[in-house]
């Protein structure tokens, strides 16, 4: 799987999950089981840097989701 396909798989997987909008990095490993964990981590970091994904932190844990998606995002924008 090339990088473009992996990116599309991540975006499609996140959009198909209607019950939650933020995921742990380990969840991304399940989206791309044929890739090494380090490769998935680098790709996710690259997508965050480009603005496709965003990090969200509760203070004790960090989660990742599509930029601008989720209920939490709407309240954080108003701060």
């Amino acid at each position: 799987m090339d990088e473009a396909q992996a990116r599309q798989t991540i975006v499609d997987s996140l959009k198909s999950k209607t019950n939650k909008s933020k995921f742990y990095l380990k969840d991304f490993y399940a989206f791309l089981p044929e890739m090494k964990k380090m490769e998935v981590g680098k790709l996710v970091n690259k997508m965050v840097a480009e603005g496709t994904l965003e990090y969200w932190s509760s203070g004790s844990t960090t989660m990742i989701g599509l930029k601008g998606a989720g209920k939490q995002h709407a309240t954080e924008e108003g701060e």
Side-chain angles (χ1 to χ4, degrees):
M1 175 180 289
D2 68 357
E3 186 175 313
Q5 290 173 318
R7 287 171 177 269
Q8 192 60 47
T9 299
I10 288 173
V11 171
D12 291 344
S13 297
L14 294 177
K15 286 182 178 178
S16 71
K17 307 287 185 186
T18 57
N19 58 340
K20 59 189 252 192
S21 61
K22 305 290 185 238
F23 299 86
Y24 294 104
L25 182 58
K26 67 178 178 138
D27 296 324
F28 287 81
Y29 302 150
F31 297 156
L32 301 165
E34 63 280 354
M35 289 179 71
K36 294 180 182 177
K37 291 180 180 181
M38 193 165 89
E39 291 174 337
V40 174
K42 285 182 179 182
L43 179 60
V44 167
N45 284 332
K46 192 185 241 185
M47 291 176 75
V48 168
E50 294 168 351
T52 306
L53 302 177
E54 66 182 353
Y55 288 119
W56 179 85
S57 177
S58 67
S60 63
T61 188
T62 301
M63 300 182 86
I64 306 157
L66 285 173
K67 186 158 182 94
K71 295 182 218 173
Q72 188 75 22
H73 186 66
T75 59
E76 289 175 358
E77 286 295 311
E79 289 184 345

